[in-house]
C-alpha cells in the first residue's frame, strides 16, 4: 500500500463522523476503524476554510476505481441520508470512507473488508456545500 495523500476535513464533518464511529456496531466496525484512522491523520479546519477541490460530506464526486478502470459519480452522505440521495454513497461504506478529505487528482489505496484493496482517484468535485456557502449542511 502506498502512502496516503494528506487530507482536509471540515470541523463539523469531523465531529459528526466521530459520533458515527463511536456508535458503530459490529457490522460497521471495519469501516469505522478505517474512518477513525483518517480522522486522526487528517487536518481539521473550519468549514469556511475548506478549499473547493476537497471532498467534504454531501459533495458530489467524480472518481475512478483504478482497479476496474471505472469512473463513478456519487454524493458522499451520512447513512441516514442514503435513501433520499439518488446517487448517494454512505461514508460508512468501504469506498465512501476512502473519499473524505481527498483533493482532485489524489489517488488512494483503500482497504476493503476481507483483506482486499482498491485504488481510487478523485477526478472532479461536481458540487460541494462549502463552495456554495452552505457551511453547516
Amino acid at each position: 500500500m502506498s502512502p496516503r495523500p494528506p487530507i482536509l476535513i471540515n470541523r463539523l464533518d469531523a465531529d459528526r463522523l466521530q459520533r458515527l464511529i463511536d456508535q458503530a456496531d459490529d457490522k460497521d466496525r471495519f469501516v469505522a476503524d478505517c474512518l477513525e484512522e483518517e480522522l486522526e491523520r487528517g487536518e481539521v479546519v473550519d468549514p469556511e476554510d475548506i478549499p473547493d477541490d476537497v471532498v467534504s460530506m454531501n459533495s458530489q464526486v467524480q472518481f475512478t476505481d483504478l482497479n476496474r478502470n471505472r469512473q463513478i459519480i456519487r454524493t458522499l452522505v451520512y447513512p441516514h441520508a442514503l435513501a433520499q440521495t439518488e446517487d448517494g454513497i454512505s461514508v460508512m461504506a468501504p469506498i465512501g470512507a476512502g473519499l473524505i478529505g481527498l483533493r482532485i487528482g489524489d489517488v488512494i489505496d483503500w482497504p476493503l473488508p476481507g483483506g482486499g484493496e482498491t485504488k481510487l482517484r478523485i477526478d472532479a468535485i461536481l458540487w460541494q456545500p462549502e463552495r456554495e456557502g452552505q457551511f453547516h449542511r
Side-chain angles (χ1 to χ4, degrees):
M1 190 181 298
S2 54
R4 291 184 179 167
I7 60 172
L8 275 176
I9 301 175
N10 165 336
R11 188 173 311 287
L12 295 175
D13 290 348
D15 291 344
R16 292 171 182 156
L17 292 170
Q18 189 62 57
R19 280 196 297 276
L20 277 178
I21 291 164
D22 292 344
Q23 297 168 1
D25 58 18
D26 288 344
K27 77 174 180 60
D28 292 327
R29 181 55 36 208
F30 177 84
V31 174
D33 289 346
C34 291
L35 194 53
E36 189 158 43
E37 280 181 35
E38 291 300 274
L39 286 182
E40 288 171 0
R41 76 179 192 86
E43 180 183 349
V44 177
V45 299
D46 289 331
E48 296 82 3
D49 296 330
I50 290 286
D52 61 7
D53 67 342
V54 171
V55 178
S56 62
M57 291 304 300
N58 299 301
S59 293
Q60 186 181 48
V61 184
Q62 181 176 313
F63 64 96
T64 300
D65 176 337
L66 295 169
N67 289 5
R68 293 192 227 152
N69 198 29
R70 188 171 140 215
Q71 196 167 69
I72 304 162
I73 295 175
R74 293 286 182 267
T75 299
L76 185 62
V77 298
Y78 295 101
H80 71 270
L82 199 52
Q84 301 94 286
T85 310
E86 188 175 318
D87 67 346
I89 184 169
S90 172
V91 71
M92 292 300 286
I95 289 178
L99 299 174
I100 191 76
L102 295 177
R103 294 182 105 119
I104 295 171
D106 281 348
V107 174
I108 192 167
D109 293 320
W110 192 251
L112 298 172
E117 185 178 285
T118 191
K119 184 179 276 238
L120 307 171
R121 181 186 64 222
I122 305 300
D123 300 321
I125 298 174
L126 305 176
W127 191 87
Q128 183 209 56
E130 293 84 357
R131 185 168 60 208
E132 302 300 321
Q134 297 181 20
F135 300 115
H136 303 288
R137 184 168 177 170

